[in-house]
Amino acid sequence: MSKKNFLVNCAKSIFALVTVVMVSMAFSACSSDNKDDEPQLKQNALIINGREVAVKEVVCYTDDECIYKIKVFFDNNRMEELRFLLNEKVFFNKVIDLSKKEDTPKYWEVMYDDQAGNRKIDTWSKPDNKYKENEEIYPVFQKGSLFVVKKSDNSIHIKLEGKVDGTDKGAVYDLGFLYEGEMKVVKE
């Protein structure tokens, strides 16, 4: 092999290597861009449109049918609240896609009231064809997921991430919520 052929082959190899490195950097840069749109989760806190609020208290109302009404309060006067309504047998221990309506007899609900107690998020997974005529149809999230695990009789893990249209026209909320800890249990 002549010196000229050797240099040409080396140049081709270097060009191929540089191309591979540039393409892999482009892909990794694109994948990290998507994460910037979502709120970063913090332990035992709600992040809603960039505002972080620490959990003050979690109260869980339950009945004999395994329906859990989980109320998460962020202030002492219980005005700001994130509420979940879930059937333990259907929705616990699995990731729930909050952008889909459930075609089951059991539905999930996620609600949020602001610091003044005004309802800002009100979602329900009931399919549109199950509503009665003239009954208000509740939305689901644009995108989102919810995961709930009961750790013990009075301890729970909740992870919520999503983007949802608010009750005020044009309002959109990005929210992230991560909680692991005790909850006060009230039997109804």
Side-chain angles (χ1 to χ4, degrees):
M1 180 187 298
S2 72
K3 187 176 180 181
K4 185 176 178 182
N5 284 343
F6 177 75
L7 292 176
V8 169
N9 284 336
C10 285
K12 285 180 184 178
S13 298
I14 290 172
F15 179 74
L17 181 62
V18 167
T19 303
V20 168
V21 169
M22 288 176 55
V23 169
S24 64
M25 288 175 58
F27 280 126
S28 65
C30 290
S31 67
S32 66
D33 287 346
N34 295 339
K35 292 179 183 173
D36 293 340
D37 295 341
E38 298 173 6
Q40 298 298 313
L41 296 177
K42 295 206 176 170
Q43 187 74 25
N44 297 344
L46 169 70
I47 299 175
I48 184 160
N49 286 355
R51 184 177 142 262
E52 183 180 332
V53 192
V55 173
K56 293 284 185 191
E57 180 182 24
V58 177
V59 180
C60 178
Y61 299 87
T62 184
D63 61 19
D64 294 334
E65 295 179 19
C66 297
I67 303 296
Y68 280 71
K69 187 186 312 175
I70 303 165
K71 295 183 171 192
V72 182
F73 299 105
F74 301 98
D75 53 17
N76 292 331
N77 60 7
R78 294 182 164 194
M79 296 294 282
E80 187 170 12
E81 172 189 349
L82 181 62
R83 185 181 318 158
F84 306 94
L85 187 63
L86 304 160
N87 182 298
E88 178 185 17
K89 294 177 184 174
V90 178
F91 296 115
F92 279 32
N93 303 312
K94 73 174 199 172
V95 176
I96 303 166
D97 183 347
L98 297 176
S99 67
K100 294 195 166 108
K101 297 210 174 199
E102 298 286 333
D103 198 15
T104 66
K106 310 290 184 195
Y107 312 116
W108 55 258
E109 292 181 54
V110 177
M111 293 157 268
Y112 169 73
D113 296 344
D114 68 9
Q115 304 96 310
N118 299 315
R119 178 77 30 99
K120 295 298 180 182
I121 297 172
D122 201 353
T123 61
W124 194 14
S125 68
K126 183 177 181 179
D128 293 351
N129 63 356
K130 303 285 184 182
Y131 286 92
K132 297 177 182 156
E133 190 174 331
N134 297 323
E135 187 178 6
E136 181 180 1
I137 296 176
Y138 290 91
V140 290
F141 281 60
Q142 292 177 13
K143 66 178 182 174
S145 63
L146 174 64
F147 183 71
V148 179
V149 175
K150 193 168 124 181
K151 296 290 196 173
S152 68
D153 287 342
N154 66 344
S155 178
I156 198 159
H157 170 87
I158 304 169
K159 180 181 179 184
L160 166 71
E161 294 179 283
K163 184 174 196 167
V164 62
D165 293 328
T167 55
D168 296 335
K169 187 174 180 163
V172 177
Y173 294 93
D174 283 312
L175 64 152
F177 176 69
L178 181 61
Y179 179 79
E180 185 158 344
E182 291 186 16
M183 62 181 175
K184 178 180 173 186
V185 178
V186 179
K187 287 281 192 182
E188 290 188 320

